Amino acid sequence: MLEQIRKISQLEQMARRQGRRKLVLCAAGDEHSIDAVYDAYRAGVIDPILVGRKEEIDKYAGRCKDFDRFTVFYEPDEEHVVRRSVSLVVEGEADILMKGNVTTATLLKGVLNKEYGLREKRFLSHFALFEVPNYHKLLAITDVALNILPPLKHKVRIVKNAVDFFRKIGVEKPKVAALSAIEMVNEDMPSTIDAALLSIMQRRGQIKNCLIDGPLAFDNAISKESKIQKNIPGEVAGDADILLVPNIESGNILYKAFVFFADAKVAGLVIGAPFPIVLTSRSDSEETKRNSIYLAALSVKMV
């Protein structure tokens, strides 16, 4: 287990101490991704492997003074780019897979391809780790990018992925807030029912190594004042480590609100595979891409 991460700014130094990891940038013809990869290389965190169409990669080669030290694979089309990229990490020739100028659906389809991707069935979910100026510790949101409207059985898997990952970055018993619009169970609002069931499952040992409470509205989950005003018992309200969102829309909105309105720093990964997958939005900054690379480098062989 790593020492507990308390600030996003710690990621670079901690990742550097772990030694260089090999990162594959899939469809490397993307300006911000190449810049982030180059910065992580100069920081001593990764050794880059670029995979993409020749004309797309070469036009960015001049941005990187050490480009001749990178491993580069030129492929003729998107299908071959994804195949080569995924095969490199699945076969152990690289440690981290990163999305470049390719859609999320195309990349993950390759990861799950039984011919050259993962041989065994895995449940993948997205994990975003935030440093929000007005919150007293790091805060994770899951799932904002992969699972659209997860049923209860998938929410269980999403929670387990997040809890396992959080424990490995230093929080032994993370507090999970299962979010909805209100803190009471309402049969007309299915997310409240799922949240209550998850809470019961945790108490009865079906979900281990964490505390779960729900349903909780967002203010109940992160504000101790709100917890007191609404007389909500338990250890999770007002002190959550992980926010489990009810669907991808609410998660995506919350993610972007944190970044654009709250000036939050963030690192995001797809977890659940044997290797970390850096999967950022096209609107994410170069800083967010770098932070995500550093978090991925720290998490190699523990995802």
Side-chain angles (χ1 to χ4, degrees):
M1 180 184 290
L2 296 171
E3 63 182 276
Q4 184 172 343
I5 300 168
R6 300 188 183 279
K7 289 187 174 294
I8 294 292
S9 58
Q10 291 178 261
L11 292 175
E12 179 182 344
Q13 183 179 7
M14 292 174 70
R16 192 184 299 121
R17 291 204 300 264
Q18 300 287 314
R20 287 186 182 270
R21 308 296 192 182
K22 291 184 179 180
L23 177 146
V24 177
L25 179 57
C26 177
D30 177 76
E31 177 181 353
H32 293 300
S33 295
I34 282 190
D35 286 347
V37 165
Y38 183 49
D39 286 346
Y41 163 77
R42 290 193 302 169
V45 174
I46 62 163
D47 286 320
I49 302 172
L50 307 182
V51 183
R53 288 187 277 259
K54 188 176 191 305
E55 63 275 14
E56 292 183 356
I57 292 179
D58 285 355
K59 68 180 178 180
Y60 295 115
R63 301 177 70 89
C64 310
K65 294 180 181 178
D66 301 302
F67 186 80
D68 58 339
R69 298 185 183 182
F70 296 0
T71 301
V72 180
F73 292 99
Y74 296 122
E75 295 291 349
D77 53 45
E78 187 175 78
E79 180 181 350
H80 286 86
V81 167
V82 172
R83 177 188 286 263
R84 169 80 76 166
S85 301
V86 172
S87 296
L88 285 167
V89 286
V90 168
E91 293 169 9
E93 296 180 46
D95 305 299
I96 302 163
L97 179 63
M98 180 174 178
K99 173 191 166 189
N101 188 24
V102 64
T103 66
T104 297
T106 300
L107 180 61
L108 294 183
K109 184 178 179 182
V111 171
L112 298 173
N113 187 300
K114 292 182 180 179
E115 181 184 350
Y116 59 85
L118 297 177
R119 272 74 176 185
E120 57 186 56
K121 193 173 182 179
R122 293 277 188 150
F123 185 88
L124 306 182
S125 55
H126 188 270
F127 176 94
L129 186 64
F130 287 88
E131 180 184 333
V132 184
N134 290 333
Y135 198 59
H136 57 282
K137 58 182 176 179
L138 294 183
L139 181 65
I141 304 177
T142 191
D143 179 334
V144 308
L146 262 65
N147 295 283
I148 296 173
L149 186 61
L152 178 63
K153 65 180 180 179
H154 288 172
K155 288 179 180 177
V156 171
R157 302 291 296 275
I158 291 169
V159 168
K160 287 182 176 179
N161 277 356
V163 167
D164 288 347
F165 191 85
F166 227 104
R167 282 168 53 80
K168 290 167 184 172
I169 60 173
V171 181
E172 291 191 23
K173 198 167 187 177
K175 300 171 183 177
V176 182
L179 296 185
S180 188
I182 55 176
E183 65 276 5
M184 305 297 287
V185 174
N186 184 327
E187 63 182 13
D188 293 325
M189 199 177 294
S191 61
T192 67
I193 299 172
D194 285 353
L197 289 171
L198 288 166
S199 181
I200 293 170
M201 292 172 75
Q202 180 266 306
R203 289 179 204 152
R204 295 186 176 180
Q206 290 176 264
I207 304 174
K208 301 182 185 298
N209 301 316
C210 65
L211 294 173
I212 303 177
D213 197 6
L216 291 174
F218 175 69
D219 58 332
N220 309 153
I222 54 88
S223 168
K224 292 183 179 179
E225 289 184 9
S226 178
K227 169 184 176 173
I228 293 168
Q229 289 172 356
K230 294 191 175 181
N231 195 29
I232 299 172
E235 299 179 49
V236 176
D239 194 40
D241 295 298
I242 300 169
L243 303 179
L244 173 70
V245 295
N247 53 49
I248 198 170
E249 296 97 333
S250 58
N252 189 273
I253 292 166
L254 190 56
Y255 178 108
K256 290 174 180 175
F258 276 11
V259 172
F260 289 99
F261 279 177
D263 197 28
K265 298 181 184 299
V266 59
L269 299 176
V270 172
I271 56 177
F275 47 84
I277 304 172
V278 178
L279 192 151
T280 52
S281 167
R282 284 172 292 180
S283 65
D284 281 328
S285 67
E286 187 182 323
E287 180 186 29
T288 293
K289 294 178 192 290
R290 282 199 307 271
N291 291 336
S292 300
I293 291 171
Y294 298 148
L295 183 60
L298 275 175
S299 68
V300 168
K301 301 188 187 307
M302 71 176 203
V303 295

